[in-house]
Amino acid sequence: MSDRYMDIALKEAYDGIESGDGGPFGCVIVKGGRVVGRGHNRVLAKKDPTCHGEMEAIRSACQELGTHDLSGCELYTTAEPCPMCLGAIMWANIEKVYYGCGRLDTAEIGFRDDEFYKHIKGEGDVIELCECDRQGCLELFERYKAMADKEQY
């Protein structure tokens, strides 16, 4: 672990809150000792709830490296990633994450990440999930599977 990279993530977060972009969340992605992506929360600036610091850093790293596969990268973020960001981290193939504050810390400043973790564990009903037209969607999946030259994702 490197405090140097967390310092960069903290600077990203400070830049974001001082400019009014969003919450105190900054992130950097490192590969081979080099920062390849960075971002901070831009939810308010972009009026987009997916613009978390981790998401912005993943987009930045993918652009920098010219790939959707961030294998071999490490992620440093000021707070424990929310479920959305964890999903993106997993799909990007980032295997190591360093975070500063935990989800209970973020709850103390008004964020509700812990509610989502409770939902995932079956302890709360944050979102109602309903299956619809499974057969039609299975047909779509079959067509995708049959495509010869498809790329993952």
Side-chain angles (χ1 to χ4, degrees):
M1 178 187 66
S2 170
D3 288 343
R4 179 171 70 108
Y5 299 127
M6 187 58 82
D7 287 345
I8 299 169
L10 281 162
K11 183 180 180 331
E12 277 291 326
Y14 277 112
D15 289 349
I17 62 171
E18 289 168 6
S19 64
D21 287 349
F25 309 108
C27 182
V28 295
I29 297 175
V30 178
K31 184 169 189 173
R34 181 172 76 93
V35 173
V36 295
R38 61 178 69 215
H40 61 262
N41 186 292
R42 288 191 169 95
V43 168
L44 299 178
K46 292 186 174 180
K47 296 174 181 48
D48 180 342
T50 69
C51 292
H52 290 193
E54 297 91 341
M55 302 296 282
E56 295 288 291
I58 288 169
R59 291 177 185 120
S60 170
C62 289
Q63 183 82 33
E64 172 70 18
L65 297 173
T67 182
H68 66 279
D69 185 352
L70 300 180
S71 294
C73 292
E74 294 180 337
L75 185 145
Y76 292 78
T77 183
T78 56
E80 184 176 358
C82 73
M84 174 185 68
C85 292
L86 276 177
I89 290 164
M90 183 186 81
W91 291 125
N93 296 314
I94 297 170
E95 294 180 12
K96 191 149 201 173
V97 173
Y98 297 97
Y99 66 89
C101 294
R103 66 182 95 134
L104 298 179
D105 298 317
T106 60
E108 290 293 319
I109 60 169
F111 292 87
R112 57 191 184 128
D113 296 0
D114 200 43
E115 288 180 38
F116 291 103
Y117 285 101
K118 288 178 183 173
H119 176 74
I120 290 168
K121 293 189 320 190
E123 299 171 1
D125 291 326
V126 175
I127 300 167
E128 183 178 353
L129 299 173
C130 307
E131 187 177 285
C132 178
D133 193 12
R134 181 170 182 263
Q135 189 54 47
C137 295
L138 283 172
E139 291 168 14
L140 167 70
F141 282 20
E142 285 300 316
R143 179 164 179 178
Y144 176 77
K145 225 170 28 175
M147 294 171 61
D149 60 348
K150 67 180 178 288
E151 182 176 335
Q152 286 266 317
Y153 306 96

